[in-house]
Amino acid sequence: MISHPRFYWGETGNDLTPTLFKLPIPASRHLVPTGYGYVLPDQNGWSRYLHFQAAWVVILTGLLYAIFGFLTGHFRKNLLPGNADLSWRALTKAVAGHLRFERPSEAEAWSYNLLQRLAYLFVIFVLFPLVIWTGLAMSPAFVSAFPATVNVLGGQQSARTLHFFVSLALVLFLLIHVGMVWFAGFKSRVWAMIAGRVSRP
Amino acid sequence: MSKISRRKLITTGLTAAAGVAGLGVAAGLAQKYGLVPPDHGGIWGLGETLTYASQRLLTRHSLAREFPRSQISKPPFPNEVEPPTEEFKRLQAGRFADWRLSVNGMVSRPATFSIDQLKSYPSHSQITMLQCEEGWSYIAEWIGVPLSHVLQVVGVLPQAKYVAYFSIEPDTWESIDMADALHPQTFLTYGMNGDALPVAHGGPLRLRLPRQVGYKSVKFITHLTVTDSMKSFGKGLGSAAPEFGYAWYAGI
């Protein structure tokens, strides 16, 4: 991203073609016209190694998590909202409550509230699959075997742009998630995540 | 907290032992079937091996996407190249008539080729994308002779595992496995978009490899060596790229 902070739509894009948008940051390559008079040091080698190794961690742990989530009924029992909760009224009430920064009720220590459930389902079943898909759609070797993965996205540069926005959404989720954990009681919530159970107060 | 039962302890122990044994067997099989990259050591080795092994299994024969002529980028983006050496300037002044590609190593008939000799072989073309690891890309028509044809001319020995290729630029060399070396879209490229390959794009001779990102498509090729091990080349990591912190395999 820092080596080429320009984004495009379609198959191709480079310094000679128009952009979809540019990030207002300096680049680590001096051919890129950024408007800055200096070039950042190149960090792409180890970043790429780290990125792809981390991708394997995400895929392998994610697969385990998804398999066990289905087998144990975790998704159905703990994440799927009840039918009654999916009405507009329940939804607006939950959003309004959050916007007023109301303290969560005692019951919420034991089960996820509606917005949590929707956010978690979105992250698990939309954002993570999308970030993996758009990532693979940029791999020249992978798309040689599965060309449809990039063709349906509109091209390799479209995949890169989508990958950027989906990863941005994941970072945003992480920040809000950690913020809410802090708000709800950092120690007890983090312990609940690690141990899988809540100690009674 | 509940006490750990003996049964649980035994089951966990057996599972762990089976896991370790399984990993050992997997590593052995990966080595046997050529699924371990030369830069498999160090902290990134596991990720690199998983990427290379899985992509090699999925993509051994798959063809890079080709595009209609209307999608050729005009003009193609020339990335920066090092200032030419004196030797390069001399060869360029002679319109590359004296440019030579030497091929040796595990071949039955080591040989040297001029650009004209390479052009005398059946010419192939492909309209494929060159994408740089930095993020930019362009599509061009690449014209040349498939590397497999040249390898056939020199007679590659059956124990060959890698083809190393060297640029006239100092310290610029790469290598690929035989699956990529014999792949029909791996070209020794001397033409682009209906013309001679411009120097800015690696002319007179560039190794073109559309299933890996741009830095594997080395410019100004003068030498090929066929080998069964990359250990004795440079630092033994497979190519110059890992010596600068970049992965040997660049299919992603």
Side-chain angles (χ1 to χ4, degrees):
Chain A
M1 190 180 80
I2 293 169
S3 61
H4 199 78
R6 295 158 60 92
F7 288 84
Y8 312 90
W9 196 257
E11 280 296 354
T12 54
N14 55 60
D15 292 339
L16 304 175
T17 66
T19 59
L20 189 62
F21 63 94
K22 292 181 233 182
L23 299 181
I25 56 169
S28 61
R29 299 290 189 280
H30 72 254
L31 280 189
V32 187
T34 59
Y36 291 86
Y38 56 95
V39 172
L40 297 171
D42 172 28
Q43 309 289 343
N44 278 18
W46 69 269
S47 314
R48 282 170 55 82
Y49 272 126
L50 172 65
H51 189 115
F52 301 134
Q53 184 142 294
W56 277 108
V57 174
V58 166
I59 287 179
L60 297 177
T61 55
L63 267 180
L64 273 181
Y65 174 77
I67 290 169
F68 279 91
F70 280 115
L71 286 184
T72 61
H74 170 63
F75 297 139
R76 185 172 37 79
K77 281 187 293 196
N78 302 326
L79 290 184
L80 206 62
N83 279 337
D85 284 340
L86 279 178
S87 67
W88 270 116
R89 198 196 309 188
L91 211 61
T92 44
K93 189 166 164 258
V95 172
H98 267 72
L99 290 180
R100 283 195 297 269
F101 281 87
E102 281 172 6
R103 290 289 300 178
S105 70
E106 197 63 29
E108 282 185 25
W110 307 102
S111 112
Y112 298 132
N113 69 47
L114 177 62
L115 291 186
Q116 270 180 301
R117 286 170 188 246
L118 293 178
Y120 296 165
L121 286 174
F122 187 70
V123 165
I124 297 164
F125 292 106
V126 179
L127 292 185
F128 268 109
L130 262 184
V131 89
I132 293 167
W133 173 10
T134 53
L136 286 172
M138 278 186 277
S139 155
F142 185 84
V143 304
S144 71
F146 306 101
T149 49
V150 61
N151 291 341
V152 301
L153 297 176
Q156 192 261 346
Q157 289 293 345
S158 304
R160 178 170 180 255
T161 299
L162 290 169
H163 195 68
F164 171 72
F165 282 115
V166 179
S167 38
L168 210 62
L170 280 169
V171 170
L172 202 67
F173 167 78
L174 177 75
L175 293 178
I176 296 175
H177 185 55
V178 173
M180 297 303 270
V181 165
W182 189 265
F183 188 58
F186 192 76
K187 253 167 101 177
S188 72
R189 292 290 100 190
V190 169
W191 177 245
M193 280 184 221
I194 295 167
R197 58 175 77 91
V198 187
S199 48
R200 294 230 166 229
Chain B
M1 193 179 278
S2 62
K3 274 203 181 131
I4 299 168
S5 72
R6 179 175 299 188
R7 181 182 295 176
K8 206 165 184 180
L9 195 67
I10 292 172
T11 330
T12 312
L14 283 177
T15 314
V20 171
L23 278 181
V25 171
L29 281 175
Q31 197 73 52
K32 187 179 165 199
Y33 288 102
L35 300 176
V36 179
D39 60 342
H40 63 270
I43 49 169
W44 309 124
L46 185 61
E48 275 313 293
T49 306
L50 283 170
T51 301
Y52 175 58
S54 55
Q55 291 213 342
R56 186 42 73 238
L57 290 174
L58 286 172
T59 69
R60 190 169 293 274
H61 300 293
S62 59
L63 292 175
R65 291 184 305 151
E66 299 214 14
F67 298 89
R69 202 158 279 277
S70 59
Q71 267 183 278
I72 290 176
S73 309
K74 291 176 196 117
F77 173 72
N79 201 15
E80 64 185 315
V81 287
E82 295 289 316
T85 59
E86 287 305 314
E87 191 192 1
F88 187 90
K89 283 190 210 159
R90 185 180 60 77
L91 290 163
Q92 190 174 15
R95 294 167 165 255
F96 301 119
D98 291 334
W99 191 277
R100 291 293 179 272
L101 171 75
S102 59
V103 186
N104 64 12
M106 290 188 159
V107 297
S108 32
R109 297 172 294 276
T112 301
F113 304 88
S114 68
I115 301 294
D116 277 343
Q117 267 173 298
L118 293 174
K119 283 182 178 169
S120 73
Y121 297 130
S123 159
H124 285 64
S125 80
Q126 52 172 296
I127 299 175
T128 51
M129 182 187 291
L130 184 140
Q131 60 184 89
C132 180
E133 53 84 23
E134 295 165 13
W136 52 266
S137 58
Y138 64 84
I139 292 171
E141 179 198 27
W142 307 86
I143 306 154
V145 53
L147 177 62
S148 61
H149 186 93
V150 173
L151 294 178
Q152 208 181 339
V153 170
V154 295
V156 171
L157 301 180
Q159 62 266 44
K161 283 195 178 141
Y162 301 97
V163 174
Y165 43 106
F166 298 80
S167 169
I168 200 167
E169 292 185 316
D171 301 322
T172 308
W173 58 284
E174 281 293 332
S175 73
I176 45 178
D177 63 12
M178 293 315 287
D180 268 333
L182 299 175
H183 188 268
Q185 288 170 317
T186 301
F187 282 13
L188 284 162
T189 310
Y190 47 71
M192 183 190 221
N193 296 340
D195 242 318
L197 183 65
V199 169
H201 289 280
L205 196 62
R206 180 174 195 176
L207 194 128
R208 177 73 185 115
L209 186 70
R211 298 192 307 169
Q212 296 201 37
V213 299
Y215 67 80
K216 296 293 283 192
S217 289
V218 173
K219 299 173 177 123
F220 319 124
I221 297 290
T222 53
H223 178 55
L224 304 177
T225 297
V226 183
T227 177
D228 64 346
S229 165
M230 291 308 299
K231 288 218 171 77
S232 59
F233 292 81
K235 293 181 182 165
L237 300 172
S239 65
E243 298 179 10
F244 294 101
Y246 282 78
W248 171 75
Y249 179 71
I252 190 159

